[in-house]
Amino acid sequence: MTEHSAEAENSKEQQADRSAVRLSRLYLDAVRAADAPGAFRIAAGALASGMTIPELYQRVIAPAMHEIGELWAKGALTVADEHLATALTHRVLAALRPPVWVGVGSERGSGVSKGRVMLAAVEGEQHVLGLRMAADVLEDVGFETVYLGADVPIGALLQALDSLSPDLLALSATMPELGSELDQVAAAVRRTHPRLGLLIGGQAASPRVLGGTLVRDLEVLPAAVPG
Ligand code: B12
């Protein structure tokens, strides 16, 4: 790459960063105002102008939700405001998806499923927006997803592995005290399903989780999936 084209590339990236920060602020304002159509328009507009789903999730929506948490922790937002922001965001995410009857492979990508991913938050964990985002990103690159959502007890998870036979398990934990739960679940899965691919994410996830691939950034998720 020449010096000029490297400079142009850098300035393009800086512009994209600034645009994402601006959109995130607008998204935050919309959810704080309980403006579901406005929040949807910001997200859909970002995609229409060339942003990818992982970029939208990682750079626009996640920072806005993190800020909701900061505002709640400072007492500037009520629990109801926070619940509203979360519910509204789940709705926006769902509205951006292809209709549920469009199966993996028919409109998205190669036409062949890359395999089945099961996604779950560990027992006690109620935070699932990040896990849902991970499911969407994996679906968009051709995986069939089985999304179990929040608070999945370890016994139930192991049973589901047997009955649903995924090729990959993605686990999430947010609360710091549930980081050790993640370790225990990963160890149990390793014992019972030694060859199963294991993806780990969420604010409490740490690189020490046994045999799991830790992914913090959804933009690198497709490339990080264990093969
Ligand atoms: C919404 C919310 C809730 C909702 C969650 C509802 C839902 N359906 O998800 C509810 C009301 C249930 C809730 C409850 C609580 N919450 Co809360 N919550 C939040 C808030 C505001 C947003 C969470 C969110 O959606 N973030 C946006 C997502 C997109 O970000 P993310 O989770 O980090 O995910 C990203 C990555 O981690 C990654 N990722 C996540 N999972 C996975 C999985 C895989 C496989 C991969 C690849 C990637 C990945 O991808 C995402 C994009 O980068 C956060 C603030 C914050 N900082 O996140 C507080 C926050 C997490 N909560 C907090 C607290 C204290 C609580 C409660 C204890 C409150 C209470 N007293 O009851 C309870 C605990 C409940 C429990 N045991 O789980 C604190 C935690 C502080 C701490 N670290 O100790 C936070 C940080 C708020 C704050 N600033 O103080 N909460």
Side-chain angles (χ1 to χ4, degrees), residues 18-35:
R18 277 197 298 274
S19 159
V21 169
R22 190 181 59 83
L23 286 171
S24 188
R25 174 57 55 188
L26 290 172
Y27 186 86
L28 176 66
D29 291 345
V31 292
R32 289 190 68 182
D35 178 9

Side-chain angles (χ1 to χ4, degrees), residues 5-26:
S5 62
E7 248 173 54
E9 206 44 50
N10 268 345
S11 102
K12 243 202 252 164
E13 265 174 38
Q14 283 166 3
Q15 224 178 330
D17 286 347
R18 277 197 298 274
S19 159
V21 169
R22 190 181 59 83
L23 286 171
S24 188
R25 174 57 55 188
L26 290 172

